[in-house]
Amino acid sequence: MAGAAAWLCISTTPAAANTDESNLMSMEACQEWPGASAFKLALYYNSSQGGAWRNIGYSVYDFGALRPGGDWPGTHPLRFCVINGASSPWPGSGLNIKNNAASGENFHYKYYARIYFNSGYKGPQDVMAPYQHIDRFRNVYNENASFKWTST
């Protein structure tokens, strides 16, 4: 279902890539259906893994202020992918992820995905074990600001 996403992606060299840059601009973020991507966390705009999604590969200190570096000075928000359906974009397409995610899936075989209420990996959190999904976040429903991979 790689063609489901209408997404502009910018190529970068591996030497110039950092985790924020990868999360912002990698083709893995939007062109691959959740679970098929090398990025193992999927956040969704709606409950029950509905609406637009974003695949995330690396921990994010602040969903609203990623710093890609290189030719992209300043900070940039992480957004849900623009997903076009039969007649219109899916709900949440192109919106900021910060304070808009309702559900998620962890496709990683080893690491836990922690979604935090506040930036900087602070405050209440929802935790997904490997291969777990949450149909509706309990602690960070539409109030999510950061994400981190952990071993427990």
Side-chain angles (χ1 to χ4, degrees):
M1 190 136 193
W7 183 253
L8 173 64
C9 199
I10 297 170
S11 298
T12 60
T13 61
N18 68 31
T19 59
D20 279 357
E21 186 172 322
S22 294
N23 279 329
L24 279 167
M25 295 176 260
S26 174
M27 293 178 72
E28 293 292 326
C30 292
Q31 285 193 338
E32 296 292 335
W33 192 259
S37 172
F39 283 11
K40 297 302 181 189
L41 173 68
L43 293 180
Y44 299 86
Y45 180 73
N46 285 337
S47 298
S48 300
Q49 295 74 48
W53 76 84
R54 177 84 182 207
N55 296 316
I56 301 171
Y58 303 94
S59 296
V60 178
Y61 190 81
D62 182 349
F63 286 133
L66 279 76
R67 299 177 184 279
D71 294 334
W72 289 79
T75 61
H76 303 273
L78 196 59
R79 299 180 186 275
F80 288 104
C81 303
V82 176
I83 312 298
N84 289 309
S87 60
S88 63
W90 289 14
S93 288
L95 294 180
N96 290 345
I97 288 177
K98 188 171 187 173
N99 298 330
N100 279 317
S103 60
E105 287 182 277
N106 178 4
F107 295 101
H108 205 286
Y109 74 97
K110 182 177 179 182
Y111 293 106
Y112 287 73
R114 295 180 180 272
I115 314 300
Y116 294 87
F117 190 91
N118 296 320
S119 298
Y121 320 123
K122 295 178 182 155
Q125 60 189 273
D126 281 300
V127 181
M128 289 177 280
Y131 296 117
Q132 182 185 11
H133 69 271
I134 296 177
D135 286 335
R136 186 181 191 281
F137 290 131
R138 179 182 213 152
N139 299 306
V140 300
Y141 178 80
N142 290 342
E143 293 291 340
N144 50 289
S146 58
F147 150 70
K148 189 173 191 178
W149 291 113
T150 64
S151 58
T152 58

